[in-house]
């Protein structure tokens, strides 16, 4: 999920290697056991994007869905 979030932040290594036509909602990350499909929902912030949600799928089932409270 951290890698998906990094894809939405300009200047990160992950963002720099994204496909030019890649969608943040359909990120595919290759690893030793295959491919993980994940995504991120982000809004523009003043300096960096505000990450609203990240998600990931393995095979046909959802692995995790969670909500983290925001404290200011």
């Amino acid at each position: 999920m951290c890698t998906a979030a990094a894809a939405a932040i300009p200047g990160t290594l992950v963002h720099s290697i994204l496909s030019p036509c890649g969608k943040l909602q359909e990120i595919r990350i290759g690893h030793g056991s295959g491919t993980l499909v994940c995504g991120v929902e982000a809004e523009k912030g003043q300096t960096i994007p505000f990450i609203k949600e990240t998600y990931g799928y393995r095979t046909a089932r959802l692995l995790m869905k969670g909500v983290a409270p925001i404290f200011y």
Side-chain angles (χ1 to χ4, degrees):
M1 302 306 99
C2 295
T3 304
I9 302 172
T12 63
L13 177 63
V14 180
H15 185 268
S16 69
I17 62 172
L18 278 177
S19 170
C21 60
K23 298 178 184 175
L24 291 177
Q25 294 79 24
E26 298 176 11
I27 300 169
R28 298 188 191 296
I29 301 172
H31 56 84
S33 297
T35 304
L36 174 69
V37 179
C38 60
V40 61
E41 297 287 335
E43 294 179 348
K44 285 193 172 195
Q46 290 182 351
T47 56
I48 61 170
F50 175 74
I51 307 299
K52 293 174 52 177
E53 172 182 33
T54 63
Y55 45 91
Y57 297 93
R58 184 176 177 127
T59 65
R61 61 188 170 101
L62 181 65
L63 282 181
M64 182 187 86
K65 184 169 185 174
V67 176
I70 300 172
F71 299 100
Y72 292 94

